[in-house]
Amino acid sequence: MCRWLAYSGGPIPLSDLVFDPEHSLVDQSLASRSSIQTTNGDGFGVGWYDDQDEPGLYKHIRPAWNDTNLKDLCRHTRSRMFLAHVRAATATAIQRSNCHPFRYGKWLFVHNGLIRGFEKIRRDLAMAIDPALYPEICGTTDSELMFLAALHFGMANDVYEGIARMTGLVEALGRKNGTDHPLQMTLGITDGDNIYAVRYSSERNSRTLYYSESVAALRSLIPDEYRDRLDKYSDDACTVVSEPFHSLPNAWIPVPEASFITVSSGRVTVKEFESIVA
């Protein structure tokens, strides 16, 4: 599968999470500890927000650990909100347009998982997307079509409903074509103000997902020798991750199965997620 992270809070260099922790995203690209596939070397991408109208984006097909430009960009780019992703391809080409994050306007989207039997439903899923969004298809992945389908179903106005209706369509198409458990996903989505994340699979056995305990709480929970690690983070800082970056005690909260989470100004809300069938 893949590994990803989403951060919101006070501006920090991207390298503080992408490169620097003991089990950073780049380290996970080499040696994931809680993924079916240990190595995630089929490309990478980072998307970040600054003072421009749309987020910045840098993607490449080479492994994240082997891109000196990525390391330099992450050291010199500070952002209050960013997404990063390392890819393990599932039956689609290793090309730049297939690397995450995917961008549309102010939105960024990353996916860990797959649509099983994607080749059987690809045409129907693509044709379900609004004609105005269809020209946005640049690659060949299931993830990109999921993103555009969610936008088609109104994600820009209601993230939960857009994702739930996309999920319902994928599951209905998959089952119609003989796939019992069509969808496996953890999703990371941002609009520049909030982070949204979903942990869901048709078989109710989803890939791992965690969010960080509040910085204020951690200052009272962790041993004194670890507290200097928190100095760089604002009180409203929050990170959502495929797997933890470090072994700080009490730092990571597992996202329950079939859950939708929202991170807004450091406040995390979790609610049950269900697909919506049209």
Side-chain angles (χ1 to χ4, degrees), residues 4-276:
W4 61 265
L5 71 87
Y7 168 83
S8 70
I12 61 171
L14 275 58
S15 56
D16 279 5
L17 298 181
V18 176
F19 279 94
D20 294 348
E22 61 195 69
H23 189 46
S24 68
L25 192 66
V26 169
D27 185 65
Q28 291 175 30
S29 71
L30 278 162
S32 171
R33 297 171 185 169
S34 60
S35 175
I36 290 174
Q37 291 168 287
T38 301
T39 304
N40 299 274
D42 297 326
F44 66 84
V46 291
W48 66 94
Y49 292 84
D50 48 27
D51 59 357
Q52 303 298 310
D53 291 336
E54 66 176 16
L57 199 60
Y58 176 57
K59 305 196 286 187
H60 206 284
I61 61 171
R62 66 168 60 99
W65 67 80
N66 196 33
D67 190 299
T68 56
N69 288 330
L70 175 64
K71 189 168 187 177
D72 211 46
L73 180 146
C74 287
R75 287 180 56 240
H76 290 275
T77 302
R78 297 175 63 88
S79 180
R80 58 180 172 78
M81 182 171 290
F82 56 90
L83 278 178
H85 183 279
V86 290
R87 183 173 184 239
T90 54
T92 52
I94 300 172
Q95 60 192 48
R96 194 187 305 265
S97 58
N98 284 346
C99 295
H100 309 217
F102 299 102
R103 178 178 64 188
Y104 180 79
K106 68 179 181 179
W107 295 90
L108 292 173
F109 177 99
V110 295
H111 171 218
N112 172 31
L114 78 164
I115 297 175
R116 296 185 181 90
F118 176 54
E119 69 283 354
K120 299 177 183 178
I121 73 164
R122 176 186 289 175
R123 179 182 179 278
D124 288 342
L125 183 57
M127 295 305 293
I129 294 169
D130 188 283
L133 289 168
Y134 191 86
E136 299 296 325
I137 301 172
C138 296
T140 60
T141 64
D142 51 0
S143 305
E144 185 180 33
L145 291 187
M146 289 165 62
F147 176 40
L148 294 173
L151 288 167
H152 165 77
F153 284 124
M155 187 181 77
N157 296 316
D158 186 325
V159 177
Y160 181 100
E161 181 170 344
I163 295 296
R165 292 180 67 191
M166 175 275 289
T167 301
L169 174 63
V170 170
E171 291 188 320
L173 289 174
R175 287 166 181 154
K176 179 181 177 182
N177 284 275
T179 303
D180 291 334
H181 302 299
L183 188 57
Q184 172 72 239
M185 68 182 189
T186 67
L187 302 179
I189 306 155
T190 72
D191 60 2
D193 295 314
N194 306 296
I195 295 171
Y196 306 94
V198 183
R199 182 176 182 234
Y200 178 86
S201 60
S202 304
E203 69 270 36
R204 300 299 195 271
N205 184 26
S206 303
R207 304 294 185 254
T208 58
L209 193 65
Y210 302 82
Y211 62 92
S212 57
E213 179 60 273
S214 73
V215 173
L218 280 175
R219 288 194 176 104
S220 64
L221 288 172
I222 66 174
D224 291 343
E225 62 265 29
Y226 294 113
R227 289 182 186 170
D228 60 344
R229 300 194 191 185
L230 301 177
D231 292 344
K232 66 181 74 174
Y233 299 112
S234 60
D235 283 349
D236 64 347
C238 184
T239 310
V240 184
V241 299
S242 295
E243 61 184 80
F245 292 148
H246 48 63
S247 55
L248 288 180
N250 306 304
W252 300 103
I253 301 171
V255 175
E257 177 64 45
S259 292
F260 178 92
I261 77 171
T262 303
V263 182
S264 181
S265 300
R267 182 172 179 266
V268 180
T269 58
V270 183
K271 68 178 183 178
E272 185 178 357
F273 179 82
E274 295 181 356
S275 61
I276 298 174

